[in-house]
Amino acid sequence: MAEYDYDVLIIGAGPGGYVAAIRAAQLGLKTACAEGRETLGGTCLNVGCIPSKAMLHASEYFDAAANGTMADMGIDVAPKLNLDKMHGQRLDAVDGLTKGIEFLFKKNKVDWKKGYATFQDAHTVKVGDETVTAKDIVIATGSSVTQLPGVEVDNSKHVVVDSTGALELPKVPKKMVVIGGGVIGLELGSVWNRLGADVTCIEFLDEILPGMDGDVRKESRKIFSKQGIEFKLSTKVTGVSVKGKKATLTLEPAAGGDAETMEADCVLVSIGRRPNTDGLGLDAIGLETNQRGQIEIDHDFRTSVDNVWAVGDCVPGLMLAHKAEDEGIAVAENIAGETGIVNHDVIPSVVYTWPEIAGVGLTTEQAIEKMGDKAKVKVGKFPMMANSRAKTNHEPDGFVKVIAEAESDRVLGVWAIASVAGTMIAEAGIAMEFGATSEDIAYTCHAHPTHSEAVKEAAMAVQGKPIHM
């Protein structure tokens, strides 16, 4: 009789968990995955990446029809918003993709244990009323929205909402306030701004999109402001009170000062995410979390407890679905005795606004800090308004920026603002994975006319020789 029920048990069926489960099964391991949500796919497929992109894409079409881009191209239309139908196509996308994961589980013979898992010991978890044992256990429990102290979120009332509630608004709010100038707040704020809401974004720091390149942060805010989003930077929200269908926010300067109030029909609290490590029973296996509630791991995704591994948002690093997916593949390969590696220095980040914003590797500021001298870093920039495809498509906003080490010319980072920046950044990631120089990119033939020619031109600009600028 087998010593354990399974070779490997994955806790959580988000991007890290379901990918780990499928890969483990492909490698011949008897695999189960515990998931308490009614559908597979985690936050990403159910209430995050996928539904938000469905709303972003649909709202882009509405905005193009309503605000002149189509008219500029000779297409005169008078759009009428059918918000119920827009929500319907979002739900259809979610339903199709989550059912797709369920199909892949069946195809690969992964057992779905329905319920939330709690450790009994390092090889045993309880899922509902069932006890399951496994030789190796992978924690892939993801993350949840961070609460703002003193601010109560109630998505059912549609007044003070988190990112999940912001996807479900039954009507376009007249006035929306977004607390937090990060990726999620800007994406969802953009959706409702395009559909007609008056949107104000409040950010505690002195610039939006923390962690991104300085030039990108400034230029992005200019573009969003032009689109109608108002920004209050270096400002903190000290309270939100709700009366009926209205919210009143109390604000004050981040550095301290006189308070002011602001009214809104909807307040979106979007100040980040926190790892889902509570309720796992980690104390039963002697596994502690760090100060941020994350599970510390080694290079191979092992925790401090033998045969217990962790990946995704519940471990240190970027909270991104594609990072979790790569870690899920790698941890399964490591458990199977193969070599699973993720290069965390080359993880792209994307903001799916219009235009998109993307980056991979070091920012200019990080590169200078790492090299210890500004002269040891060379930067090339190329504006999208000089790119023939972007100009033809009426997409002039943005630029591509290539950051390279001056002496070796090795690419340290690439940043872009462009309508398809999220797709363009893959080229930069591949180049950096293979240790490319800016010259390697510059002398690689790019198809014409494409947005990606801007990457080539920015690489040429590192050496001061762009053609179309």
Side-chain angles (χ1 to χ4, degrees):
M1 189 173 183
E3 186 178 356
Y4 302 106
D5 298 326
Y6 294 94
D7 297 316
V8 59
L9 168 72
I10 318 294
I11 302 176
Y18 86 72
V19 168
I22 291 170
R23 186 64 180 134
Q26 288 175 344
L27 292 168
L29 300 175
K30 187 179 180 183
T31 306
C33 183
E35 172 57 56
R37 195 188 293 267
E38 291 298 316
T39 50
L40 300 171
T43 294
C44 177
L45 266 68
N46 287 278
V47 293
C49 318
I50 297 305
S52 66
K53 302 314 164 284
M55 294 298 285
L56 281 158
H57 189 59
S59 65
E60 284 169 11
Y61 276 109
F62 181 82
D63 183 63
N67 296 312
T69 305
M70 284 188 176
D72 290 342
M73 292 185 282
I75 306 168
D76 293 325
V77 291
K80 181 181 179 182
L81 177 63
N82 185 334
L83 187 56
D84 287 342
K85 196 166 186 177
M86 190 177 286
H87 280 313
Q89 60 89 35
R90 165 180 61 85
L91 295 171
D92 284 346
V94 170
D95 183 62
L97 288 166
T98 54
K99 284 180 179 174
I101 303 303
E102 195 168 347
F103 166 77
L104 290 172
F105 268 23
K106 290 176 182 175
K107 176 186 175 184
N108 289 283
K109 297 181 173 57
V110 175
D111 288 345
W112 176 9
K113 299 296 181 180
K114 297 185 179 182
Y116 293 100
T118 306
F119 278 99
Q120 307 300 298
D121 60 44
H123 295 283
T124 310
V125 299
K126 195 167 185 181
V127 184
D129 295 328
E130 184 180 7
T131 299
V132 183
T133 62
K135 181 177 183 296
D136 289 276
I137 297 178
V138 179
I139 303 169
T141 46
S143 61
S144 301
V145 294
T146 300
Q147 303 297 317
L148 183 61
V151 177
E152 183 179 351
V153 170
D154 187 344
N155 289 329
S156 65
K157 294 181 179 178
H158 311 299
V159 180
V160 181
V161 299
D162 57 20
S163 56
T164 300
L167 289 167
E168 300 279 357
L169 298 181
K171 65 179 182 178
V172 179
K174 185 175 180 182
K175 172 69 179 178
M176 173 181 248
V177 172
V178 178
I179 303 175
V183 175
I184 297 170
L186 290 170
E187 287 184 353
L188 293 174
S190 291
V191 168
W192 295 106
N193 175 60
R194 291 177 199 142
L195 298 180
D198 177 6
V199 177
T200 298
C201 178
I202 301 171
E203 171 56 50
F204 181 81
L205 301 176
D206 61 0
E207 192 52 273
I208 62 171
L209 294 173
M212 292 201 161
D213 184 84
D215 284 347
V216 166
R217 299 175 73 191
K218 292 175 187 175
E219 185 64 22
S220 298
R221 180 167 50 85
K222 289 179 185 176
I223 293 170
F224 294 140
S225 296
K226 188 168 65 174
Q227 293 172 356
I229 298 177
E230 182 183 347
F231 291 93
K232 294 181 75 68
L233 305 177
S234 301
T235 302
K236 63 181 175 182
V237 176
T238 57
V240 178
S241 61
V242 177
K243 188 174 182 180
K245 293 292 183 180
K246 289 280 187 181
T248 302
L249 298 90
T250 306
L251 323 172
E252 63 181 57
D258 295 336
E260 62 174 305
T261 60
M262 177 185 292
E263 284 198 344
D265 302 291
C266 181
V267 177
L268 166 58
V269 181
S270 181
I271 60 170
R273 299 185 65 81
R274 57 180 178 79
N276 291 330
T277 49
D278 293 341
L280 279 172
L282 297 182
D283 53 338
I285 58 172
L287 184 57
E288 296 183 353
T289 57
N290 63 19
Q291 290 183 334
R292 299 186 63 188
Q294 300 163 326
I295 298 169
E296 296 284 351
I297 52 172
D298 67 9
H299 184 70
D300 295 323
F301 311 102
R302 291 184 179 90
T303 70
S304 60
V305 178
D306 289 344
N307 298 99
V308 176
W309 315 65
V311 298
D313 284 6
C314 66
V315 305
L318 297 169
M319 288 184 168
L320 297 170
H322 45 278
K323 177 249 195 190
E325 287 186 7
D326 279 12
E327 290 180 344
I329 292 170
V331 75
E333 291 174 349
N334 287 332
I335 290 170
E338 299 189 2
T339 303
I341 297 172
V342 176
N343 182 356
H344 287 93
D345 292 333
V346 188
I347 303 287
S349 297
V350 185
V351 190
Y352 294 93
T353 49
W354 184 267
E356 293 178 351
I357 304 157
V360 63
L362 301 179
T363 65
T364 308
E365 297 78 16
Q366 290 169 339
I368 292 170
E369 183 180 358
K370 181 177 181 178
M371 302 307 295
D373 185 348
K374 189 175 183 179
K376 292 182 179 180
V377 176
K378 296 189 75 172
V379 175
K381 283 179 71 175
F382 188 79
M384 293 309 296
M385 68 174 61
N387 173 268
S388 57
R389 184 64 184 275
K391 188 171 181 64
T392 304
N393 287 8
H394 299 263
E395 300 164 353
D397 291 328
F399 60 82
V400 177
K401 180 178 189 179
V402 175
I403 305 158
E405 185 180 354
E407 185 176 355
S408 69
D409 193 37
R410 183 173 59 89
V411 176
L412 301 173
V414 178
W415 295 85
I417 304 174
S419 62
V420 289
T423 301
M424 291 164 64
I425 207 65
E427 171 189 352
I430 292 170
M432 291 175 63
E433 188 66 41
F434 284 88
T437 63
S438 73
E439 187 177 59
D440 290 329
I441 298 174
Y443 283 94
T444 297
C445 189
H446 287 61
H448 173 80
T450 61
H451 297 83
S452 290
E453 287 177 287
V455 180
K456 174 186 175 81
E457 293 266 16
M460 295 175 75
V462 172
Q463 303 302 330
K465 53 182 181 184
I467 299 298
H468 295 94
M469 183 175 66

